[in-house]
Structure formats: structure tokens, C-alpha cells
Amino acid sequence: TVYEGVIVDVHLDRAELVNGDIVRREVVEHPGGVTVIPVDSDGSVWCVRQFRYPYAEEILEIPAGKLDHGEGESIADCGARELKEETGCTAGRIVPLGCVYPSPGFLTEVVHLFAALDLAEGEMQPDEDEFVEVVRLPIAEVEQMIVRDEIRDAKTMAALYRAKLKGLY
């Protein structure tokens, strides 16, 4: 371990390649996360706009968060919690959409994808360090924003595509 941080730990490992060579590999350990694509009955997606420090810009994405509430919280429960915190919505149905590896070359993070359907509106409950603006957009507009390179968030694109392939919208 070369670094223990707030969100990640970094290791410098020695790994053996298939040809027998020994190489150094940096591995960033992350607890994993969940993202939820909330789709309401009129075909709109509930997105959030928030400032993302590493990019020094506000980005549009779907609700998401870390798996950091301990073993007592299931992955689906984490998704429902993040949905409520960031949009105020609760879902009548949470549909699993699989998972993605955001950057498999060095990062252990696995992001679990869900669709949230049969939404009921409520009050947002953001974390104290979370400042988000909720933006509802028609699915077709979200797709066009991806085409125009206005949405660059990989988990948003993956969840939208998986939901579409599963016929959820």
C-alpha cells in the first residue's frame, strides 16, 4: 500500500504476465458503487447536475453513490437510498441492469446499474457535502445529449443503454 485515502487506497504490486515476465502494476482499490436511472411514466429521466472536482466542471449524470454503508445495506438498497437522497424519488420497482468496470486497467471499482420505475416524488435528502440540481429530461433528449458529447458520464450512458436493450423504455 502506497496510499490510504478517503475514497481509495493505492497499491503497487508485482504481477506475473502470461509470458513469465514480472511487471509492476498500480491498483486503485475502491469500494464500488451503484447508479440508478430513474424513468418516470411520461418517459423522462431524472438526472442530477453537480460539480465534479476532478474535471473542474458541472456534469449531468444519473443518481449514484458509493457502497459505503456496510454489509447491512444491499446493493439494491444502496441504489434506492441514493435515488431518494439525490432526487427525492422512491421507486415502486428497482430493476437490476448488471454492472460495469469503469476503468479495468488499474481500478477495482464495480458500478452496479439499476433502473428505477414507478416513481413517487418526495423530498431530497442530500449528504451534507452534496449539492445537486435535479434535471428531468425526455429520454430522447438525453440520448441526443450523449450524441452531442454533452453527457460524458460513462455510468449514465451504460445504464441508459442497458435499460433500452432490456425494453424498459
Side-chain angles (χ1 to χ4, degrees), residues 1-3 10-15 23-28:
T1 301
V2 295
Y3 174 77
V10 180
H11 302 275
L12 182 59
D13 295 343
R14 293 171 52 84
V23 296
R24 294 170 18 139
R25 292 289 187 256
E26 295 168 327
V27 178
V28 178

Side-chain angles (χ1 to χ4, degrees), residues 40-103:
D40 63 24
S41 59
D42 74 357
S44 292
V45 175
W46 291 60
C47 298
V48 293
R49 184 182 316 280
Q50 62 182 317
F51 182 79
R52 289 300 196 174
Y53 181 81
Y55 303 105
E57 67 181 75
E58 284 189 343
I59 68 170
L60 192 66
E61 60 189 290
I62 57 177
K66 289 190 310 286
L67 290 167
D68 60 358
H69 280 239
E71 290 186 30
E73 181 179 64
S74 73
I75 294 169
D77 289 344
C78 178
R81 175 177 52 80
E82 289 295 336
L83 176 67
K84 177 70 174 166
E85 286 176 7
E86 295 186 10
T87 68
C89 291
T90 54
R93 290 190 300 149
I94 298 275
V95 180
L97 300 174
C99 63
V100 294
Y101 302 150
S103 193

Side-chain angles (χ1 to χ4, degrees), residues 98-119:
C99 63
V100 294
Y101 302 150
S103 193
F106 69 94
L107 182 62
T108 66
E109 180 180 25
V110 174
V111 178
H112 302 270
L113 313 172
F114 292 90
L117 306 171
D118 304 327
L119 301 177

